[in-house]
Amino acid sequence: MNYGALEAGGTKMVCAIGDENGKILEQVSIPTTEPKETIDRMIDYFKDKEIEALGVACFGPVDLRKDSPTYGYITSTPKPGWANTDLLGPMVRALKVPAGFDLDVNGSLLGEVTYGASKGLTDAVYFTVGTGIGSGVMTNGKLLHGIIHPEGGHIQIKHHPKDTFGGRCPFHKDCLEGMANGPSLIDRWGKPGNELKEEPLVWEIEAYYLAQAARAVSCLLSPQRIIFGGGVMHQKGLIDEIRDDFKEMMNGYLRSPYIEDIENYITEASLNDDQGIMGCIKLAIDAAAKAK
Amino acid sequence: MNYGALEAGGTKMVCAIGDENGKILEQVSIPTTEPKETIDRMIDYFKDKEIEALGVACFGPVDLRKDSPTYGYITSTPKPGWANTDLLGPMVRALKVPAGFDLDVNGSLLGEVTYGASKGLTDAVYFTVGTGIGSGVMTNGKLLHGIIHPEGGHIQIKHHPKDTFGGRCPFHKDCLEGMANGPSLIDRWGKPGNELKEEPLVWEIEAYYLAQAARAVSCLLSPQRIIFGGGVMHQKGLIDEIRDDFKEMMNGYLRSPYIEDIENYITEASLNDDQGIMGCIKLAIDAAAKAK
């Protein structure tokens, strides 16, 4: 069986064909230009592939409410031309297959708990730390949507005592995303993260903020695991600093074998940046099963 | 049908009999002394009431994992004599009825979504703000446990610029609970909350912290509603200050009709402090249904 997978991003659309085991059989990358052109090219890619179903995980905010007239839309994105764009509708109408649709970070989490090192977990949180900071959440074995979907980048954090930077989020200035995303490194230090590898204070501050995020989900959601992915996490040793800060902050308060196993409790994505597209394959498999 | 309900607290055990509609038929309060004496008195109360099932919501931390050898225990509480106490086991063995068991705050949330103003909601969060600060969470229509249960009082918050208090949590000093529970008012201002009613700065600071809690769950869990209960919330106007701070902090970022309806999005408990015991009745009703 062939399943269509689309990981929809602000700079590129990763389209792939996967099999019933989540294996990626082929994959292309289509640049995200204006909506009609981009969607037409994706339809062109999928149309002769004889897919059973399509799974789409998309940058947010998106409308995940199946009973909504704008289900499958990208809603209030600042990305020029893409606000209020029906992404799913034209693809489903052209390809005539069942489809699953979710937030990009939920897709990555689904990939990890289906095919990655977190296989079988029912309660987990995924943070992506890159241009933005987003979160995906699974509780009781189901991806969490709620009224919109998780937007974990916008929680308030306490400033690091050595950090004088005021934050860059256009809505909140010093929320988690405004203080710890990739661009905040450039604003604060004048250079991107990959040119700051040997500067310990950079990563001390970064870890302090991401550990607060881990603490917040640990206290509010009590997950089995917290996964960090995204470009900023490529810094060697950052995950260890987050673990150390988390342990120091929590001070032994929550006792669980899951938390004591800190290397697995706070961990990196395990699928070599394929977690997103593999999550899309799973969304397609689930959509096909549901349609039967 | 009679259902037994027990809201287990650190100072008193509220025991009640309810009917299949959640109506409280009778209720007694038993002081929480040492475990054996207290449990024996509760068994005495329930034993002739011909209850179909028992629902227990208990102060935490508790073990909610049904496959655990310490399921139904109060675990690492600082309350003298009560750490590692089997609360549920002796009662079930004596009363020989099916039983449901959950965290006290989850019980209050269950009462509100079953019988209160939040009836029918599937995704909601309940904060109790009193001697401690605790949180109950429902996602996709199910109470959330995860690996332990929510402990939302222990998230990190950003200090109010006018607040010089350092916090009183024995584990974390300046977590939400350490900065905003009832005793923190005494430590900070020298008086309890009910003697500080006319001091605007007291409530400006309190609301600032509780609004951060609302923001955290709004971003991480995307609930339909956030309910605040507990003694500190009896301060008139506090809920309005939390709403105002929340709106200012979020700055229009999350758009949803639920959030725009701010008076219902951030709201007070609606069942006149019966939400906890009514939640226990529902736990009993569910346990009876499951046992059939």
Side-chain angles (χ1 to χ4, degrees):
Chain A
M1 297 277 207
N2 280 353
Y3 295 93
L6 163 59
E7 190 181 12
T11 54
K12 64 181 179 182
M13 299 288 184
V14 178
C15 299
I17 306 300
D19 71 11
E20 62 278 11
N21 302 311
K23 192 176 164 195
I24 301 166
L25 304 172
E26 59 164 275
Q27 179 172 318
V28 297
S29 182
I30 290 167
T32 306
T33 57
E34 60 86 27
K36 186 171 184 321
E37 179 186 52
T38 311
I39 292 171
D40 283 349
R41 289 188 63 188
M42 296 194 290
I43 291 169
D44 257 8
Y45 170 76
F46 285 116
K47 71 170 189 264
D48 302 322
K49 300 292 193 293
E50 298 185 355
I51 57 175
E52 296 291 311
L54 177 69
V56 179
C58 182
F59 66 93
V62 283
D63 188 346
L64 304 178
R65 297 165 302 159
K66 285 197 175 145
D67 58 351
S68 161
T70 56
Y71 172 68
Y73 278 53
I74 298 163
T75 59
S76 58
T77 179
K79 187 169 171 61
W82 283 85
N84 305 310
T85 292
D86 184 3
L87 176 66
L88 193 65
M91 299 195 67
V92 166
R93 285 191 293 274
L95 300 171
K96 298 183 177 62
V97 290
F101 184 69
D102 218 308
L103 180 69
D104 52 359
V105 207
N106 269 348
S108 296
L109 176 56
L110 185 62
E112 288 288 335
V113 301
T114 309
Y115 304 115
S118 300
K119 190 170 173 171
L121 296 188
T122 56
D123 293 79
V125 176
Y126 187 106
F127 280 102
T128 182
V129 189
T131 311
I133 296 184
S135 59
V137 175
M138 175 172 272
T139 60
N140 290 314
K142 285 185 74 174
L143 293 173
L144 181 71
H145 295 166
I147 56 170
I148 308 172
H149 47 65
E151 283 276 359
H154 297 274
I155 60 171
Q156 181 65 61
I157 44 94
K158 184 182 175 185
H159 290 216
H160 188 286
K162 292 183 202 158
D163 189 12
T164 56
F165 182 60
R168 71 180 316 278
C169 172
F171 285 89
H172 315 116
K173 285 193 75 93
D174 66 347
C175 61
L176 175 65
E177 178 169 299
M179 295 297 277
N181 66 358
S184 78
L185 296 173
I186 302 175
D187 283 11
R188 187 189 282 106
W189 305 103
K191 291 179 205 173
N194 59 9
E195 292 175 31
L196 294 161
K197 286 180 186 169
E198 309 299 325
E199 304 288 342
L201 185 60
V202 172
W203 307 106
E204 180 185 326
I205 290 172
E206 183 72 19
Y208 184 75
Y209 297 142
L210 297 177
Q212 288 184 50
R215 174 178 175 173
V217 299
S218 198
C219 291
L220 290 167
L221 285 150
S222 198
Q224 295 158 313
R225 180 169 294 177
I226 303 164
I227 304 163
F228 284 93
V232 172
M233 294 308 301
H234 292 146
Q235 170 70 17
K236 216 182 150 202
L238 177 57
I239 192 79
D240 294 310
E241 283 200 71
I242 298 170
R243 289 175 183 138
D244 289 347
D245 282 358
F246 174 84
K247 279 194 286 188
E248 196 180 319
M249 287 174 186
M250 294 302 283
N251 196 21
Y253 181 68
L254 297 179
R255 299 220 183 145
S256 160
Y258 284 96
I259 298 177
E260 274 153 43
D261 182 13
I262 191 73
E263 308 234 325
N264 283 312
Y265 187 63
I266 294 180
T267 191
E268 291 178 285
S270 70
L271 292 168
N272 301 310
D273 293 334
D274 283 338
Q275 56 273 17
I277 197 72
M278 291 175 81
C280 296
I281 297 171
K282 176 65 167 143
L283 286 174
I285 293 171
D286 289 349
K290 208 167 173 184
K292 262 172 197 159
Chain B
M1 297 275 206
N2 280 355
Y3 296 93
L6 162 59
E7 189 182 12
T11 53
K12 63 180 179 182
M13 301 287 183
V14 178
C15 300
I17 305 299
D19 71 10
E20 61 279 10
N21 302 312
K23 192 175 166 196
I24 301 165
L25 304 173
E26 59 163 273
Q27 178 173 318
V28 298
S29 183
I30 291 167
T32 305
T33 57
E34 60 85 29
K36 185 170 184 322
E37 179 186 51
T38 311
I39 292 171
D40 283 349
R41 289 189 62 187
M42 295 193 288
I43 291 169
D44 257 8
Y45 171 76
F46 285 116
K47 71 170 190 264
D48 302 322
K49 301 290 193 295
E50 299 187 354
I51 57 174
E52 296 291 311
L54 178 68
V56 180
C58 182
F59 66 93
V62 284
D63 188 347
L64 304 178
R65 298 165 302 159
K66 287 198 174 144
D67 58 350
S68 161
T70 55
Y71 171 69
Y73 278 53
I74 297 163
T75 59
S76 57
T77 179
K79 186 167 174 63
W82 284 85
N84 305 310
T85 293
D86 185 4
L87 175 66
L88 192 66
M91 300 195 66
V92 166
R93 283 191 295 273
L95 301 170
K96 297 185 177 60
V97 289
F101 184 68
D102 217 308
L103 179 69
D104 52 0
V105 206
N106 269 348
S108 296
L109 177 56
L110 185 62
E112 287 288 334
V113 301
T114 309
Y115 305 115
S118 300
K119 190 170 174 173
L121 295 189
T122 56
D123 292 79
V125 175
Y126 187 105
F127 280 101
T128 182
V129 189
T131 311
I133 296 185
S135 58
V137 176
M138 175 171 274
T139 60
N140 290 314
K142 285 185 73 173
L143 292 173
L144 181 71
H145 295 166
I147 55 171
I148 308 172
H149 47 64
E151 282 278 0
H154 297 273
I155 60 171
Q156 181 63 62
I157 44 93
K158 185 182 173 184
H159 290 216
H160 188 285
K162 291 182 201 158
D163 188 12
T164 57
F165 181 59
R168 70 180 316 279
C169 173
F171 285 89
H172 313 117
K173 284 191 75 93
D174 67 346
C175 61
L176 175 65
E177 178 169 298
M179 295 297 277
N181 66 359
S184 79
L185 296 173
I186 302 175
D187 283 11
R188 188 190 281 107
W189 306 102
K191 292 181 205 171
N194 59 9
E195 293 175 31
L196 294 161
K197 287 180 184 168
E198 309 299 324
E199 303 289 342
L201 184 59
V202 171
W203 307 107
E204 180 185 325
I205 290 173
E206 183 71 18
Y208 185 75
Y209 298 142
L210 297 177
Q212 288 184 50
R215 175 177 174 173
V217 299
S218 199
C219 291
L220 289 167
L221 284 151
S222 198
Q224 295 159 312
R225 180 169 294 177
I226 303 163
I227 304 163
F228 284 93
V232 172
M233 295 308 302
H234 293 146
Q235 170 69 18
K236 215 181 152 202
L238 178 57
I239 193 77
D240 295 310
E241 283 200 73
I242 297 170
R243 290 174 182 138
D244 289 347
D245 282 357
F246 175 84
K247 280 194 285 188
E248 197 179 319
M249 287 174 186
M250 294 302 283
N251 196 20
Y253 182 68
L254 296 179
R255 299 220 183 144
S256 160
Y258 285 95
I259 299 177
E260 274 153 43
D261 182 13
I262 191 73
E263 308 234 325
N264 283 311
Y265 187 62
I266 294 179
T267 191
E268 291 178 284
S270 70
L271 292 168
N272 301 311
D273 293 333
D274 282 338
Q275 56 274 15
I277 196 71
M278 291 176 82
C280 297
I281 298 172
K282 176 66 165 135
L283 286 174
I285 293 171
D286 289 348
K290 209 167 173 184
K292 266 177 193 151

